[in-house]
Amino acid sequence: MLRIFRSLILGLALGALVGLYFGWVSFPMDARNRQLSQLAQSHQDDYSVMIAAGYAADGDLVGASARLALVYGDEAQRHLRESAERIISSSARSLPDIRLLVALARDLGQLSPLMMPFLTLEESGG
Amino acid sequence: MQPAAPESAAPAAFSYTAFALSLIAGLALGIALGRLLGPLPGGEAEPWQLRAEDRNHYMLAIALEYHESGDAARALDKLIALKPAGDPLVALAEGACALGSGGYLADASGIAALRSAVQLYQDFGREGCAERLLPEAAPAALPAEPPPPAADARAQPTPLPSKTPPPASAQTAQTARLAPTPLPRRFREHSLRSFCDIARPAIIEVRTVDYLGRGVPGQRIRVRWGESEDIFLTGIKREYGDNYGDFQMEEGVEYAVDMPGAAEPLATALSTGSCYSDNRRGLKSWRVSFVEV
């Protein structure tokens, strides 16, 4: 009886270890059921930049705001300001991307002192 | 006196059967746990993990950015990162089609955004249903002068102005940056034959292939009868292949099949009627293929 018990425990432990490796590394979850609001921060930033770029092209502030709300909900404008400030502080994106974000933040009334240099740059440099 | 039992006959200290069974159970448990607790917890999702509706919105954002930058490589990279099952641009076309069919065109914002998506996939020679859903004229949009920069560092959100179109010069610059639309593809009838399948009665099956016989997805097929017509895309029913489309016929009606702007109508009008397979009565179906010329 003891030998069976010992074999069971050993097999279970070894199997679980190998299985964890496969489940974690080789075959991670492939579920496609996430929402925009569940995107990782960097991808949320990417989405915001894309929306800001769209706004720069079509001037559709209502549409841009609605699309941001898909990610950030009712607090979209505040989130945009925070994202822009964080991106500026961490140099997480390129200058053109920051300028797009700042332009959208400005038109949504979310300009902050941190953004001002980029706004000046935009207005002087086109 | 009994001889001593040989060592090999002694009870083993290990049960291989129990070990094997528990190893399998442990493996299953480990994989399940690994996938559940895996490396992508909620809130850290990648774009390819988005559900269909949100993925469509994400693709639209890609198209909006492309509209501004004209950077096709960047747009394609992002579309590919969504890990579509097939052609990423066809996935964009299908996403745009789904959004357009789902009430996204109710306002000028949706129309303009969808137009960006159509522009992107048409620049690469793809087609979808969204372009047929869009209104003919450009939306009477509105760029208002953006409100002056808020003087206050933490200004409250201002009411959103009405949308106004971008200045004409900006529009011209945008258009100039976009890649020219490739020449439309041309097809001709390649084969036409009837078949009898009890499980799939009165169907017109259409496939579009290139000159090497490879499937060409996203092609518009038109079926006309009487005063009516229906247009569908090949490749939407992926379970039958990425170049497949079909149409359900009714008895007593003759159908003309063509590819609008790409192939002449079939010389034969198609209709269904009785057919027999394995001594069972069914309705005749047709299998059509168009080949690129």
Side-chain angles (χ1 to χ4, degrees):
Chain A
M1 192 64 186
L2 184 63
R3 76 187 175 100
I4 291 178
F5 183 72
R6 195 166 42 212
S7 307
L8 281 174
I9 293 296
L10 191 63
L12 205 61
L14 197 62
L17 276 178
V18 175
L20 266 177
Y21 171 79
F22 279 116
W24 205 288
V25 179
S26 299
F27 311 111
M29 184 107 91
D30 192 23
R32 295 184 178 224
N33 56 5
R34 306 300 175 92
Q35 299 172 26
L36 281 167
S37 58
Q38 294 177 306
L39 283 175
Q41 185 69 64
S42 61
H43 296 301
Q44 287 191 3
D45 290 347
D46 203 29
Y47 180 84
S48 299
V49 169
M50 291 192 284
I51 298 307
Y55 171 64
D58 63 17
D60 180 5
L61 195 56
V62 176
S65 186
R67 289 178 195 109
L68 287 174
L70 292 174
V71 176
Y72 301 119
D74 295 338
E75 298 288 299
Q77 300 183 10
R78 181 177 61 78
H79 274 286
L80 177 71
R81 186 188 69 224
E82 290 172 358
S83 292
E85 288 177 344
R86 180 173 40 73
I87 287 168
I88 290 170
S89 303
S90 61
S91 305
R93 310 281 306 202
S94 66
L95 180 60
D97 287 352
I98 292 174
R99 285 167 60 181
L100 290 170
L101 284 173
V102 168
L104 179 55
R106 173 198 62 197
D107 293 351
L108 287 171
Q110 296 294 320
L111 204 60
S112 72
L114 198 57
M115 303 180 200
M116 290 302 286
F118 297 93
L119 189 65
T120 311
L121 197 65
E122 181 191 25
E123 285 168 348
S124 61
Chain B
M1 180 178 171
Q2 291 283 333
E7 264 187 37
S8 59
F14 199 76
S15 165
Y16 288 101
T17 308
F19 177 75
L21 288 176
S22 59
L23 187 71
I24 291 168
L27 207 59
L29 185 71
I31 289 176
L33 278 176
R35 287 169 67 90
L36 270 178
L37 308 173
L40 296 163
E44 291 298 320
E46 300 282 325
W48 64 267
Q49 292 184 301
L50 292 172
R51 61 185 180 180
E53 184 188 349
D54 285 29
R55 198 160 55 246
N56 292 343
H57 286 293
Y58 194 88
M59 287 194 288
L60 218 57
I62 294 171
L64 283 168
E65 185 186 41
Y66 172 70
H67 183 50
E68 192 273 337
S69 70
D71 189 340
R74 187 175 185 179
L76 274 176
D77 273 349
K78 290 182 177 181
L79 288 173
I80 290 168
L82 291 172
K83 300 184 181 179
D87 183 340
L89 291 156
V90 171
L92 171 65
E94 290 172 1
C97 184
L99 284 174
S101 309
Y104 200 78
L105 299 173
D107 55 38
S109 291
I111 293 170
L114 217 59
R115 212 177 284 281
S116 299
V118 169
Q119 182 71 58
L120 173 52
Y121 65 73
Q122 283 188 337
D123 281 350
F124 288 90
R126 307 303 194 278
E127 292 180 335
C129 83
E131 54 265 44
R132 284 183 279 118
L133 300 171
L134 284 167
E136 286 296 321
L142 28 176
E145 281 297 314
D152 182 359
R154 297 274 169 174
Q156 292 301 308
T158 51
L160 299 180
S162 300
K163 194 179 76 169
T164 51
S169 58
Q171 283 183 330
T172 309
Q174 277 306 322
T175 309
R177 276 205 297 264
L178 296 176
T181 304
L183 289 173
R185 306 174 90 153
R186 294 289 305 172
F187 290 80
R188 65 172 169 78
E189 177 187 338
H190 178 55
S191 69
L192 169 65
R193 60 190 176 88
S194 64
F195 66 99
C196 190
D197 185 342
I198 304 297
R200 292 170 56 75
I203 294 275
I204 300 174
E205 294 184 357
V206 183
R207 289 185 186 274
T208 45
V209 296
D210 67 9
Y211 64 100
L212 291 174
R214 297 172 299 196
V216 182
Q219 300 304 308
R220 289 201 304 163
I221 309 296
R222 178 170 58 186
V223 178
R224 287 179 290 176
W225 67 100
E227 298 298 314
S228 306
E229 71 172 35
D230 182 47
I231 295 180
F232 57 90
L233 287 174
T234 57
I236 298 296
K237 295 186 173 180
R238 291 191 176 280
E239 63 272 28
Y240 293 108
D242 65 357
N243 64 332
Y244 173 91
D246 63 25
F247 176 83
Q248 184 69 55
M249 292 185 287
E250 291 178 7
E251 277 187 281
V253 182
E254 291 198 329
Y255 299 91
V257 180
D258 69 349
M259 297 176 66
E264 297 298 314
L266 300 179
T268 310
L270 308 183
S271 60
T272 187
S274 294
C275 67
Y276 292 89
S277 175
D278 296 332
N279 290 325
R280 294 168 61 198
R281 182 185 176 277
L283 289 171
K284 183 169 66 178
S285 295
W286 291 90
R287 196 162 281 149
V288 185
S289 75
F290 289 97
V291 64
E292 190 173 14
V293 292

